[in-house]
Amino acid sequence: MHKRKLGRNGPEVSALGLGCMGMSISYGTPNDQESIATIHRAIELGINLVVTSDAYGAGVNESLVGQAIADRRSRVLVGTKFGNVGQGGGVPEGLSPGHPDYAVMACDASLKRLRVDVIDFYGLHRVDPKVPIEDTVGGMKRLVEQGKVRYIVLSEAGPQTIRRAHAVHPISAVETEYSLWSRDVEGDILPTCRELGIGFTPYSPLGRGFLTATIKTVDALIPKDRRREHPRFDPANIAQNVKLLEPLEEIASRHGCKPAQVALAWLLGRGDDIVPIPGTKRREFLEQNAAAADLSL
């Protein structure tokens, strides 16, 4: 697996990371055994960036990742996040998700669930409008100084917020949705990151599975799949959206590969500062994704 430097001040990481959310929530029934095997296979393939959050099942996904990397810690850079309490968990009375004191509490809890002494990439999952970003990142900076965290990440932050945060402590990466299907970040977020020397880790680089070209009707999703709540997958919308897959499938056919691999190779080709983190809980799809790193369009 090729390596890329994640941000001007960050470490070298594999060109593709592994997002772990779907192993525990949102996309069907969890299968912990296969998920752990998938994480192990990712490490074997040279993928060294594994990303989770305390919001994914109120810590359940972190515990799963911790179990998987327990005897492989030296080969993995683990990233987790805090501050998105809408998906599970809660904040003590008198605090809010971006409060510096809560950052400390959340970090300590994540360290225990992940079974690690230090978190490589610690991210603010959602910016708290009630707390100045300088205060939140100031708290995260103290975690770095205490040796609990190595690098700081922001998720879903606007350009001015990124600038203000970066002035307090170097931000290694920004994690936001980016794919052939979602290109909003090209307007001002990605240029801001590049100006400041911040890496970019696109989540949902396969359009929440749409760019695999295997979800052409809502019936392809099981009843409890969270994507049924997304407007993009509404029956009327998906009927129009599938037309977007035709050129993707044509390019994949010419290259003898999968549409998902074309989508990932396109993202990788947008710049060496981009490290997509496609999520999967199956070894079969992990191996397909990993092969995209060698695909030249």
Side-chain angles (χ1 to χ4, degrees):
M1 175 66 66
H2 308 294
K3 295 286 180 63
R4 295 184 165 191
K5 189 169 172 59
L6 192 57
R8 189 178 297 153
N9 302 301
E12 278 200 336
V13 300
S14 49
L16 288 168
L18 174 63
C20 298
M21 182 192 77
M23 295 177 178
S24 300
I25 63 169
S26 298
Y27 303 144
T29 304
N31 181 337
D32 289 355
Q33 184 176 356
E34 177 62 18
S35 292
I36 290 172
T38 299
I39 294 172
H40 289 173
R41 181 61 178 145
I43 296 169
E44 289 173 2
L45 292 172
I47 294 174
N48 70 347
L49 177 60
V50 177
V51 181
T52 179
S53 170
D54 66 5
Y56 303 156
V60 169
N61 192 243
E62 285 183 321
S63 296
L64 178 72
V65 169
Q67 181 182 348
I69 68 172
D71 60 348
R72 294 163 169 79
R73 178 66 178 107
S74 63
R75 300 166 63 186
V76 175
L77 294 168
V78 63
T80 191
K81 301 177 285 290
F82 78 101
N84 185 4
V85 298
Q87 292 195 39
V91 179
E93 187 175 350
L95 298 181
S96 62
H99 194 287
D101 292 344
Y102 181 66
V104 174
M105 296 170 59
C107 180
D108 288 344
S110 290
L111 285 165
K112 289 179 182 177
R113 286 189 292 262
L114 289 165
R115 308 183 193 181
V116 298
D117 297 323
V118 59
I119 295 168
D120 298 297
F121 294 99
Y122 198 48
L124 176 62
H125 204 161
R126 292 292 183 270
V127 176
D128 186 346
K130 297 179 181 178
V131 180
I133 191 64
E134 290 85 354
D135 292 353
T136 305
V137 174
M140 298 169 75
K141 177 182 179 180
R142 287 194 289 276
L143 293 171
V144 175
E145 293 168 347
Q146 293 167 5
K148 296 179 179 180
V149 169
R150 290 199 172 102
Y151 302 99
I152 294 177
V153 175
L154 297 182
S155 180
E156 299 284 10
Q160 294 309 314
T161 300
I162 294 169
R163 290 182 187 279
R164 290 165 54 197
H166 192 67
V168 175
H169 187 275
I171 304 299
S172 294
V174 169
E175 179 184 315
T176 296
E177 183 169 359
Y178 185 27
S179 72
L180 279 167
W181 211 18
S182 296
R183 297 179 63 173
D184 314 62
V185 299
E186 292 176 350
D188 51 15
I189 294 175
L190 193 53
T192 298
C193 289
R194 286 176 167 162
E195 176 192 337
L196 299 174
I198 298 171
F200 197 83
T201 52
Y203 74 76
S204 295
L206 297 178
R208 303 179 192 271
F210 178 74
L211 297 175
T212 65
T214 60
I215 305 172
K216 295 187 175 181
T217 72
V218 72
D219 295 331
L221 303 174
I222 66 170
K224 292 185 178 181
D225 195 302
R226 200 177 100 192
R227 286 171 288 190
R228 286 179 173 269
E229 302 170 10
H230 292 201
R232 290 184 245 186
F233 291 94
D234 179 88
N237 292 336
I238 201 168
Q240 297 297 315
N241 288 333
V242 292
K243 298 173 185 176
L244 300 171
L245 294 173
E246 293 174 7
L248 188 65
E249 291 177 301
E250 179 187 340
I251 294 167
S253 178
R254 289 207 308 266
H255 283 270
C257 66
K258 301 286 186 181
Q261 293 171 316
V262 173
L264 289 173
W266 177 84
L267 254 186
L268 288 166
R270 304 303 287 174
D272 290 339
D273 53 348
I274 291 177
V275 177
I277 46 174
T280 184
K281 54 186 174 184
R282 296 184 179 91
R283 283 168 285 183
E284 173 191 359
F285 300 134
L286 168 81
E287 291 170 355
Q288 289 179 14
N289 292 345
D294 295 319
L295 176 60
S296 178
L297 300 178

